[in-house]
Amino acid sequence: IKAGRELVASKGLFIKKKRYAVLIYDLEGARLDTHGKPGKVKAMGLDLKRSDTPKVVQEFLSEILLDVLTGTGDVRQTVIDKVRDFKILFQQRPSWEKGTPKRVNNLTKYTAEEKRLGKANMPGHVRAAMNWNNLRRMHSDNYSMQIVDGMKTIVCKLKPNALNWTSIGYPTDEIHLPQWFKDLPFDDGEMEATVVDQKIDNLLGVLDWDLASATNTENTFQSLFEF
């Protein structure tokens, strides 16, 4: 029997089958923990690699994952502080930058089906894209891009509104977002929970640190006035 050494890791985070991250210090006999580096993180099946995770969130998830795999002392508190700071900065971003990236397929098919049936079942992000096209037409907007099959979009959640829409998507290639879009009642809280809290829980929930409660920024702001 002959065996080969694939990788050796000093620490790992195992969530479930085919979803894990390890800190490699030896890859097929080559040391990676040299020149002051802790090694290399190998992540499989995690949200920091998914296309529906905004890039800024992917980078942050990679940062706190490295903290968990390399940290000493009170790692939980270090992660809590970083998550809380990130949430505060994320809340300051424009609402439309808090949406979820999605690629739209079969929009033409579902649009035709909607016209024929009056109301058709379809994936939520396709409905969001259709809402953009409809609102664009309602405002007689010939300057903004129309969403077509295969286009990448950002899906944003909406608060209750007169149209009874729960979301709207816009083309990622749209450089100048129209004012009618910016004036929509975006549900920032719901988007932050989906894009930040849920993604962090998917990554570190296995540690049972209850990060959502520990990093609730509303509690942080309230505590400033409790003295």
Side-chain angles (χ1 to χ4, degrees):
I1 297 175
K2 184 178 180 180
R5 182 173 61 191
E6 182 178 350
L7 63 85
V8 183
S10 57
K11 191 178 293 186
L13 183 67
F14 298 91
I15 300 169
K16 57 175 63 174
K17 186 178 180 180
K18 295 184 179 180
R19 290 188 61 203
Y20 65 88
V22 291
L23 182 62
I24 304 172
Y25 69 85
D26 185 297
L27 182 62
E28 297 183 350
R31 294 296 293 242
L32 303 180
D33 57 343
T34 58
H35 306 294
K37 296 180 180 179
K40 180 181 178 181
V41 175
K42 177 182 180 182
M44 293 292 293
L46 304 183
D47 280 1
L48 57 126
K49 297 288 187 179
R50 289 175 58 94
S51 60
D52 64 352
T53 304
K55 187 169 182 60
V56 64
V57 178
Q58 287 183 354
E59 293 172 352
F60 179 69
L61 292 177
S62 296
E63 180 183 338
I64 59 175
L65 175 60
L66 184 61
D67 288 338
V68 170
L69 295 178
T70 62
T72 57
D74 194 346
V75 179
R76 177 178 180 273
Q77 189 59 50
T78 298
V79 172
I80 286 174
D81 292 340
K82 284 195 174 184
V83 171
R84 188 182 294 119
D85 291 343
F86 179 79
K87 281 186 175 182
I88 293 173
L89 291 175
F90 191 80
Q91 288 171 352
Q92 297 171 3
R93 302 174 73 91
S95 299
W96 46 90
E97 291 184 6
K98 301 175 184 178
T100 302
K102 292 284 186 179
R103 184 182 293 276
V104 179
N105 294 314
N106 297 318
L107 179 60
T108 302
K109 166 193 162 186
Y110 285 117
T111 300
E113 196 171 311
E114 182 99 345
K115 288 181 179 179
R116 182 171 60 86
L117 300 176
K119 186 74 172 179
N121 292 325
M122 65 188 73
H125 64 285
V126 177
R127 171 74 63 188
M130 189 182 297
N131 289 343
W132 164 275
N133 286 343
N134 289 337
L135 207 53
R136 173 180 172 273
R137 186 171 58 253
M138 290 165 59
H139 284 86
S140 301
D141 184 353
N142 296 320
Y143 298 97
S144 301
M145 298 175 64
Q146 178 177 344
I147 298 177
V148 297
D149 292 331
M151 190 174 283
K152 292 181 180 180
T153 65
I154 304 294
V155 179
C156 300
K157 301 287 187 180
L158 297 174
K159 293 179 179 178
N161 54 80
L163 296 171
N164 290 322
W165 290 354
T166 58
S167 63
I168 187 168
Y170 67 92
T172 56
D173 293 333
E174 180 60 63
I175 300 174
H176 301 292
L177 291 172
Q179 193 60 45
W180 56 258
F181 174 77
K182 294 181 178 180
D183 291 338
L184 291 173
F186 296 102
D187 193 338
D188 291 70
E190 181 66 24
M191 288 190 287
E192 290 162 10
T194 301
V195 174
V196 181
D197 285 327
Q198 187 59 56
K199 297 291 184 181
I200 292 173
D201 185 64
N202 289 345
L203 180 66
L204 302 180
V206 68
L207 298 175
D208 291 328
W209 283 353
D210 192 17
L211 294 175
S213 298
T215 60
N216 189 328
T217 52
E218 290 183 5
N219 294 341
T220 302
F221 292 133
Q222 290 174 359
S223 67
L224 295 176
F225 301 98
E226 290 178 351
F227 297 100

